[in-house]
Amino acid sequence: MGIQFAPKAGFAIDTDDAFVLSQLGVTETLVVANPDGSVAPGLAVSWQRDDPRTWRFRLREKVRFQNGEPLTGQAVATALTHALSSPTPPRGLTGLTATASGPLEVLLRTQAPDPVLPQRLASPNTAILAPAAYRSGQRPEVVRTGTGPFQITAQQPGQGVTLARFDGYWGKHPALDRVRVRFIKDAQARVAALRAGELDLVQGVPISQLPVLKGLDGVRVQSYEVPRVTSLYMNMSAAPFADRRVREAVAAAIDRRLLAETVFSGSAKPAAQVFGPILPWVPEAAPPGADPERAARLLREAGYSALKVRLWTYHERPELPELATAIQGMLAKAGIKVETRVADYATLEGDVLAGRYDLFLLSRSYLTDVNDLAGFLASDFGCQGAYNLNRYCSAELDELVAELRNIEDLRQRQAAFARAAALLARDVAGLPLVHEQARVAMSTRVTGFQPDPLGHRLVTPDLAVSG
């Protein structure tokens, strides 16, 4: 198979390389995340909250690491303690202590009440490795120290790895004996290798290749919803977008349904709010169509007979430059002249974070490290949010997010998230454009592929190749 992202830090578990290890079926966590915000048993079979700051996790029996060591409460405590003491501990997981309270039990204590601690423990950065993986002063060794259905047997740094079935796996016996994985950053190269028969499955199929692949014998494409939204960010800290009427004018000028149909070739859904249809509690709602006359009227009310703004985006996602061009044309009909700039994301990030921009097109996941939306709302829309690109500040939203610290019930949290989304839409805190889909292409000989919207699992025991 060909996957998009290569490890950048030698499979260091305290970096984003942990997500690659999880996708490869090498490592596992105490709990497994579901897109609706719930969690399911992983290496832990059950958990309970003893008091507001203490959680008790019961471990699965007869689990062994790939080096033969048994999974125990002490092994879990060692793994989590090391992760938390890392110079870069798992994002969203701080102030935690882990102690073994029995052969198959571990106690986790937090500094402050944390109603979503289990969701945090679904992050691949909290994967449990064998005690032998941890050596003083060194990064944990991930080769043959995980509990997953596959183990790394060979590596070509930056190029790929070879995986072999772990016959001692506690769960379903893997169907594949071996998997050869190639790290291929270029999407066109991945697709070309699939068409040439060099690969059986590839991630990240570009939209431009969909018509070609769907017409090929022996190849099928599978698309599925993911928690990712492409939005038009507006700098609310300066004119003209500090004026809500101007933001409303931009929203009225843009036809989100047309963008989904044309730029994304129907492989995305128009966004009526920031959270998408992958979340079962999000109502089915289509955004309004474009109304250039209303947009022009709002601009006049704000004191603008004409307006010139800068729209920036980046190369790394090939749909974004095309999207910027389409938006440029839509805004022109409302009397907004747009100057576009396309560059590498790293080139633009500093100015965007500092608020030295007008409009910015960005694709953003809202469920990555923690399977809960509170962190996303705080970082992207909180008054002190570290990634608040819109530079939006609402005491009402901050109070809502603060209330979530005391809400453990999933349905109550979802109701709070829905209120937050409505508040952001009311204030036009940026403009969600489309909810994206992930696309995987594979040989028709491949069976058992299971889409994982959160991107934690790819090589699973069910995956197989016939013939």
Side-chain angles (χ1 to χ4, degrees):
M1 63 173 58
I3 68 174
Q4 293 170 270
F5 302 109
K8 297 179 180 179
F11 283 126
I13 201 72
D14 59 345
T15 71
D16 285 343
D17 289 6
F19 287 80
V20 181
L21 287 167
S22 178
Q23 285 194 348
L24 297 182
V26 173
T27 58
E28 296 178 309
T29 50
L30 291 179
V31 299
V32 176
N34 297 316
D36 66 354
S38 64
V39 288
L43 293 178
V45 293
S46 63
W47 47 91
Q48 65 184 50
R49 198 175 186 184
D50 289 354
D51 60 55
R53 293 182 175 84
T54 306
W55 291 79
R56 185 182 304 270
F57 285 76
R58 180 73 181 174
L59 305 180
R60 195 175 294 276
E61 297 181 359
K62 298 180 181 179
V63 175
R64 290 197 170 270
F65 295 97
Q66 292 159 0
N67 66 356
E69 293 183 81
L71 177 72
T72 65
Q74 185 56 56
V76 171
T78 297
L80 292 179
T81 298
H82 187 279
L84 291 160
S85 62
S86 164
T88 54
R91 294 183 288 257
L93 190 65
T94 57
L96 178 71
T97 60
T99 56
S101 54
L104 289 174
E105 194 174 84
V106 62
L107 285 181
L108 303 181
R109 294 184 174 89
T110 58
Q111 289 180 347
D114 188 351
V116 293
L117 180 62
Q119 282 85 342
R120 300 184 193 281
L121 294 173
S123 167
N125 292 117
T126 66
I128 307 302
L129 301 178
Y134 304 99
R135 301 171 184 172
S136 178
Q138 299 182 33
R139 276 183 162 168
E141 174 58 65
V142 300
V143 176
R144 299 183 188 277
T145 61
T147 59
F150 292 90
Q151 55 189 325
I152 296 173
T153 57
Q155 300 185 59
Q156 302 79 44
Q159 303 297 314
V161 297
T162 300
L163 306 173
R165 178 174 60 203
F166 173 41
D167 288 323
Y169 183 55
W170 60 266
K172 183 177 180 179
H173 190 68
L176 293 172
D177 295 321
R178 187 177 63 161
V179 182
R180 292 175 58 196
V181 180
R182 289 171 57 187
F183 306 129
I184 306 175
K185 180 180 180 181
D186 183 79
Q188 304 292 341
R190 288 196 302 275
V191 171
L194 175 71
R195 296 181 63 183
E198 298 171 9
L199 297 173
D200 296 301
L201 183 150
V202 297
Q203 289 180 311
V205 176
I207 289 173
S208 61
Q209 292 292 311
L210 289 178
V212 175
L213 290 174
K214 289 180 177 179
L216 287 179
D217 290 336
V219 172
R220 73 174 182 275
V221 178
Q222 187 162 347
S223 300
Y224 52 95
E225 307 290 345
V226 292
R228 178 172 287 276
V229 60
T230 295
S231 300
L232 183 64
Y233 290 71
M234 307 184 209
N235 182 1
M236 297 172 63
S237 66
F241 297 111
D243 191 319
R244 175 174 165 175
R245 291 168 296 184
V246 178
R247 303 196 302 274
E248 289 180 343
V250 169
I254 293 175
D255 191 329
R256 288 171 266 184
R257 289 176 287 188
L258 185 60
L259 293 176
E261 292 169 2
T262 56
V263 176
F264 288 86
S265 301
S267 186
K269 292 187 177 180
Q273 58 144 294
V274 65
F275 302 129
I278 188 174
L279 302 175
W281 50 268
V282 171
E284 289 283 346
D291 189 346
E293 292 182 0
R294 177 172 180 266
R297 184 173 66 253
L298 285 164
L299 287 177
R300 290 194 297 270
E301 292 175 3
Y304 296 97
S305 58
L307 186 61
K308 183 177 181 179
V309 297
R310 300 164 298 164
L311 170 57
W312 296 351
T313 194
Y314 49 99
H315 294 289
E316 286 86 342
R317 289 188 174 270
E319 296 81 21
L320 294 184
E322 185 179 350
L323 191 62
T325 300
I327 290 172
Q328 182 182 41
M330 291 177 178
L331 293 181
K333 294 179 181 179
I336 302 175
K337 184 177 181 180
V338 176
E339 176 186 291
T340 61
R341 179 189 177 192
V342 181
D344 292 340
Y345 175 82
T347 301
L348 303 172
E349 184 182 52
D351 283 335
V352 173
L353 286 171
R356 295 189 291 266
Y357 82 99
D358 296 327
L359 297 170
F360 186 52
L361 269 176
L362 177 76
S363 173
R364 179 81 164 146
S365 174
Y366 45 83
L367 286 176
T368 302
D369 301 308
V370 179
N371 192 37
D372 184 78
L373 296 170
F376 168 78
L377 289 170
S379 69
D380 285 41
F381 298 100
C383 290
Q384 303 300 318
Y387 204 70
N388 187 349
L389 302 188
N390 291 299
R391 304 182 80 78
Y392 170 74
C393 184
S394 163
E396 188 176 353
L397 180 77
D398 279 1
E399 289 173 7
L400 192 155
V401 172
E403 291 172 4
L404 285 165
R405 298 171 189 160
N406 302 314
I407 300 175
E408 185 176 348
D409 180 78
L410 180 60
R411 290 185 181 275
Q412 292 181 30
R413 295 185 73 81
Q414 291 172 345
F417 299 147
R419 293 198 303 273
L423 175 60
L424 296 175
R426 183 199 73 187
D427 292 346
V428 200
L431 183 65
L433 299 173
V434 297
H435 296 296
E436 299 181 37
Q437 295 178 335
R439 296 168 296 277
V440 173
M442 66 197 82
S443 164
T444 52
R445 298 187 304 118
V446 174
T447 61
F449 171 73
Q450 299 175 349
D452 178 15
L454 300 180
H456 292 182
R457 298 179 293 277
L458 177 63
V459 186
T460 66
D462 290 316
L463 196 65
V465 177
S466 62

